[in-house]
Amino acid sequence: MRKALEWGKGTVFEQIVVDTGSDDRTVEIAKEMGATVFLFPWIDDFSAAKNFAISKAKGDWIVFLDADEYYDIDSTAKIIPILLRIENGFNNDLKPHTVRSSLVNLDDYGQVFSMGIQDRIFRNISTLCYRNRIHEVLYNNDGSEVVVVDASKELTIYHTGYTKQVYKESGKLERNIRMLKYEVAENVEDYNAWSYLGDAFLRLKDMMKPNRHIFM
């Protein structure tokens, strides 16, 4: 939690933490670090919790990271200049809604094992919100297209939530499988959800393998 908040000190003017029922020191640490904490009951729906968090934000732009994510120092220094370029470089009708970042997944040893892209910086406007219970995505609820600026070569988010230690301690895989089963039951043609469900089962199978020890 500390790392998830430390990166933004001196860059953002407010930090909001929405707690969905943690049993550790998350709320205490967040308050110690000056964040405003809100409680939201967990209802097996990440989008519901995130949209609640968005409703509490006051700024024109939102940077939305999970508790196991953070921007590195170089990326943090670039966020404001990128937003200023967007505000000054586009006509009102063409101004983008979101800014795309690279996402780097770290393993138990702090090494990169996969990379992707995420749209985690976005305008605080009434039409822009999240959908899907899990692996949620941003969309405009008025049906219009979400306009994206690709800054993935400038901004990098580091994610530590896929480590085996996290999976073992949090029950995250079992929770994800349960939620993804809901998703595919509600929409059998959601092929992304099917793909995520298959991946979660593979990860669970890998977690259940016994540790191998080599004696010399």
Side-chain angles (χ1 to χ4, degrees):
M1 171 54 65
R2 290 190 185 279
K3 205 159 193 176
L5 293 171
E6 283 174 349
W7 74 267
K9 296 298 183 183
T11 299
V12 301
F13 80 90
E14 68 172 351
Q15 290 185 305
I16 293 171
V17 171
V18 172
D19 186 86
T20 56
S22 64
D23 57 5
D24 54 16
R25 296 184 62 245
T26 294
V27 171
E28 181 183 348
I29 292 171
K31 289 180 177 179
E32 285 176 0
M33 298 187 68
T36 302
V37 178
F38 296 94
L39 304 181
F40 185 83
W42 179 242
I43 55 174
D44 273 355
D45 191 328
F46 281 110
S47 286
K50 290 190 171 185
N51 289 333
F52 173 78
I54 290 172
S55 74
K56 301 300 181 182
K58 302 181 183 70
D60 294 329
W61 286 87
I62 295 171
V63 182
F64 207 128
L65 299 186
D66 294 335
D68 54 9
E69 297 173 334
Y70 59 92
Y71 277 104
D72 64 4
I73 295 175
D74 291 340
S75 296
T76 302
K78 295 174 183 176
I79 291 175
I80 297 301
I82 287 172
L83 296 182
L84 289 174
R85 290 206 307 266
I86 290 172
E87 294 292 12
N88 297 328
F90 293 84
N91 296 325
N92 285 334
D93 294 338
L94 300 174
K95 285 185 177 179
H97 301 107
T98 72
V99 179
R100 182 159 293 165
S101 302
S102 292
L103 179 73
V104 172
N105 293 308
L106 303 178
D107 63 18
D108 294 77
Y109 307 100
Q111 301 299 311
V112 176
F113 73 87
S114 68
M115 295 182 65
I117 54 174
Q118 290 283 325
D119 300 339
R120 299 297 192 81
I121 303 175
F122 52 90
R123 291 186 183 278
N124 187 7
I125 54 177
S126 60
T127 60
L128 199 59
C129 54
Y130 282 99
R131 64 181 173 189
N132 299 341
R133 290 177 184 269
I134 186 171
H135 298 295
E136 54 285 353
V137 294
L138 283 167
Y139 79 110
N140 271 321
N141 59 24
D142 63 358
S144 62
E145 181 183 359
V146 176
V147 181
V148 180
V149 162
D150 187 357
S152 59
K153 292 183 179 180
E154 299 177 80
L155 303 178
T156 301
I157 302 167
Y158 289 89
H159 177 221
T160 61
Y162 285 158
T163 65
K164 289 186 177 182
Q165 180 181 355
V166 169
Y167 281 140
K168 288 179 180 178
E169 293 177 354
S170 66
K172 182 176 179 178
L173 272 174
E174 292 82 357
R175 178 206 65 196
N176 289 0
I177 289 171
R178 182 182 70 250
M179 294 172 66
L180 286 164
K181 284 182 176 179
Y182 290 147
E183 285 286 336
V184 298
E186 292 172 355
N187 184 3
V188 295
E189 295 186 0
D190 187 343
Y191 301 115
N192 284 330
W194 280 108
S195 176
Y196 287 129
L197 180 59
D199 181 66
F201 274 121
L202 284 174
R203 290 180 183 273
L204 182 61
K205 181 180 179 181
D206 183 60
M207 289 292 298
M208 295 174 67
K209 291 179 181 178
N211 292 329
R212 296 181 178 180
H213 299 281
I214 299 175
F215 298 95
M216 303 296 291

